[in-house]
Each structure stands twice: as C-alpha cells, then as structure tokens.
Amino acid sequence: MQADSRPPSSSMSRRRLLQLSALAGLGLVGGCGRGSAVQLVYGRGELPAAWAKRLPDPWRAQPVDGPEAVLKARSAALMQLGDGWLEATALPQWQPFAATESVAASELWEGLAPEAQAPSRLFRPEPAPALAYPWAFGTWLLVLRNRRELVARQGEGWSLLLDPSLREQLLLPSSPRVVIDLALRQLGLPPGDPASLADPRLGDQLGRLRRQAAAFDDRDGLNLLLSGRVEAAVLPSQRVLPLLRSDTRLSALLPESGSALWWNLLLRPTQTRELPPLRWLLQAREAPLISRLLAAGWVPPLRRELLASALSSWPPAVAALLYPPQPLLARCTSLPPLAPEQRRQLQSLWDRSAP
C-alpha cells in the first residue's frame, strides 16, 4: 500500500483554534480549563463575591438557584447551606473536614465562638466530629421604616409586633418555626424547652401574631419594606445591616429576649475526595477581607476578641447588632433539626393557630 504522501499539518486552521478556545471557555475541554475545576456550589446571593473570587485553583464557586439546586449538585466538593435545610439532608451525606496543605483543620475550630460548636457537629452531641464549617451567623431583627415612636418603645421587645398600628403592616418570616420562636419570646418562655410548646397560652399568642401579618416572606421582605408596602418586618440580620448606614428611614432592633440564630454552613459531601481549601477558609478572618464581609452583613462566628478590631470601625449601635453583647447573645438560640415527633407537634400548633 502506498504511503500517504501528504505532509503532516504543522498548524491548526484559524476556525479550529476559535472552536477550541470557545470550548475551553465553557469548560468542555480538559487541561487547565474549567472542565477540571473543583466546585463549591452555593445558593445565589448566599456567598460573598469578595470571598468567592479568592478561591484558589482549581476551585471554582458555582452559584445555583436555591438550596434545592445545591443539594442536587452531584459534582460539588463543597456545598453551602443554611441551617434551616439540615432537615432535608441525611447525616451519611456528609464527611468531616480534613487537613490539607500545611494548615491543620483544627485551626478552623480553634477560633470559633462557643455558639458555633453545635452547628459544626450538625447538632449531634459531643464527641461527634465536625461535619460543617459555620462561616457566618446572625440574628433575626425587627426592622421599622419611619416608625420612630415604636423605636422609642423598644423596651417592650418582641411585643411591639402586636402593636395595633402594625396590623397588616407587618411582614413575618416564611419559616413557621421562627414565627413560633417569636411567640415564645413574647410570652417569656424558653424557646429551647420542650415544655414551652405545651404552654396553654402559646396557641392564642401565635394566632394573635399571625393575624398581624400582611405576609410571611423574609426573602423579598426587605423590598416590601423599602417600597413602603409594609412598615415593619422581621428579617435575618445579614439582609438588613448593610443598609443601616445609608438608609436613615430604617431602624433595626434586637430585643433583650434575643432571637433565633441563623447559620450559614459549608459541608463536604461523602462522594468527594477533594480536601477543602483551608487557607481560603481562614482568609475570611483576616484583614482586609473581614471588613468587607462585615460591611455586607456576613459575620464569621469567631471568638469576640478576634473580631474586636474589625467591629471597632462601626458605630457602637450597629456593631452590637452585628455581634450582640454576650449576655444578649446567650439568650439567642439555634434551631436544631427536629425529630419527627417534634415536627408533628409544631405542625399541629401551627395548624391550630391559623387566623
């Protein structure tokens, strides 16, 4: 057979080069492109851009539309979830954080505040290992728009939600569990005590609170408040605090009885062999990044002394909302996943209190 006499091509055509460049940009070819990226999957708006863009190669931050989509991301090496979604997951779905590079994973936990220890174990008792890294936390705040007379009565605490002038001018959280927590605090009942749910006053109090609400929507609640469609809202601190310096119409209160805590977590799925980028995780505690996170309302749950310098640049009243004083923080409680019987009990209470 006669050999092919055509000379080997020494270069690609311009069209082929353009095709490969386009594919590389989409991550569809191998090598150093995004096709070989290690993904941190997060809900859109739930991870600060200033931090995400510092992820080291080969990590990439991949936003998706909401927690449901995060949980469906089978290729993720890290997942971001709020603590309210822990009930939708199973413990075998996660594996512990591990050491990588020259940084020991223990450095992550050494700086955490005591309140962060239980969420890191997904609320299992000690000595269970840490399955989640709680990188941000906060409270629920009562936010008022142009209601200085109610601000002057802040000593009344969460009972302000029942003021007659707020009837159908109040927006409450979409989570029934958080609303029940508010009703417990109005009555002075310990939110974490199972006996509190059996108090005969709770059903009536919860019904009164629900009748005040124009809507139950904390996701779009800030927009409704800013547009003047409601005059008060109970919102997670992260969404409110960035506006307090610039919008003089708004006042935010954390009553002395405290509130539920919200947690933002990073979890490591069992199917991944990738080790978490621990140096990147630790950057969230360091200047100048820590100041940018605080300005966006994201507060790392670190020991108080580690945040003192960054908080000192804020007005004292706002700094106390970012990181409440210890006596007040001690009255704030996390909401661990519910056992089936607890879930049925809360559902029954919610159904009975319907307006």
Side-chain angles (χ1 to χ4, degrees), residues 41-47 62-67 70 80 219 239:
V41 180
Y42 67 98
R44 207 174 302 277
E46 294 298 316
L47 194 75
Q62 177 62 49
V64 294
D65 291 326
V70 171
Q80 170 276 324
R219 178 166 294 276
R239 295 182 187 159

Side-chain angles (χ1 to χ4, degrees), residues 161-242:
L161 299 177
L162 298 176
D163 189 87
S165 68
L166 291 181
R167 183 69 180 265
E168 298 186 352
Q169 289 293 319
L170 171 66
L171 188 140
L172 289 174
S174 55
S175 165
R177 196 173 179 193
V178 176
V179 178
I180 292 171
D181 183 273
L182 293 171
L184 288 168
R185 294 177 192 275
Q186 287 176 333
L187 291 171
L189 297 172
D193 186 348
S196 297
L197 297 178
D199 191 291
R201 300 172 295 167
L202 181 56
D204 288 341
Q205 187 75 8
L206 182 58
R208 293 175 62 201
L209 181 57
R210 293 178 66 181
R211 287 191 291 274
Q212 285 286 93
F216 297 82
D217 184 357
D218 48 88
R219 178 166 294 276
D220 295 319
L222 188 59
N223 290 332
L224 295 174
L225 186 66
L226 293 174
S227 67
R229 294 176 63 183
V230 294
E231 296 180 0
V234 178
L235 298 170
S237 55
Q238 187 274 324
R239 295 182 187 159
V240 178
L241 292 170

